[in-house]
Amino acid sequence: MPPSETAALSPAALLAAMPFAAQLGIELHEAAPDRAVGSLPWSPESCTAGGILHGGALMALADSVGAVCAYLNLPRGAGTSTVESKTNFLRAVASGRVHATARPLHVGGTLIVVQTDLRDDKDRLVGQTTQTQIVLAAKGGATG
């Protein structure tokens, strides 16, 4: 892969392509087809009653990191969009940072399924998201 393409797929460049994620404070630490890693700091602006991190913030973290993982598994020129997402919330987060690790469960020509584990600073599982991404063919071509 030419250096310009490698730079274009850096975690910083991928995050820049997702302004909503950046606005929420999501950080992307690693980005590869077999694993994407990001995190979100606890903040009072992202909480529900009682200072608990909002489930929507956790879902946005999982969706963003999972989407990066799916994107990096696409055929050249194809796009993707989430068609289904399911999250199990297992533990409240009242401080620190939530760490997301996304891995592909299935990479096909039509669908990509990604599982994202959400963990707190003590490495306890706080949530798990499974999302299905559709593979959108490049205009004028096949997806491979």
Side-chain angles (χ1 to χ4, degrees):
M1 183 176 295
S4 61
E5 282 188 44
T6 303
L9 296 179
S10 71
L14 290 163
L15 186 60
M18 300 185 297
F20 178 69
Q23 180 182 4
L24 289 176
I26 293 171
E27 297 176 19
L28 192 58
H29 308 293
E30 296 177 32
D34 63 333
R35 178 176 127 131
V37 177
S39 65
L40 176 68
W42 178 94
S43 70
E45 299 80 18
S46 299
C47 288
T48 64
I52 302 300
L53 196 60
H54 193 285
L58 293 171
M59 291 176 75
L61 171 62
D63 184 68
S64 298
V65 176
V68 167
C69 185
Y71 174 78
L72 294 175
N73 280 283
L74 289 171
R76 184 179 298 275
T80 185
S81 182
T82 304
V83 294
E84 191 273 339
S85 184
K86 180 206 183 296
T87 300
N88 285 319
F89 299 107
L90 306 171
R91 179 181 299 276
V93 177
S95 65
R97 181 174 286 274
V98 179
H99 308 271
T101 302
R103 291 185 174 85
L105 297 177
H106 169 78
V107 177
T110 305
L111 298 173
I112 297 173
V113 180
V114 177
Q115 180 176 296
T116 304
D117 290 341
L118 302 170
R119 296 187 173 275
D120 64 14
D121 285 332
K122 295 180 180 176
D123 201 34
R124 298 177 297 190
L125 191 63
V126 300
Q128 188 175 71
T129 298
T130 303
Q131 68 188 100
T132 304
Q133 299 266 340
I134 191 164
V135 176
L136 302 171
K139 292 186 180 187
T143 59

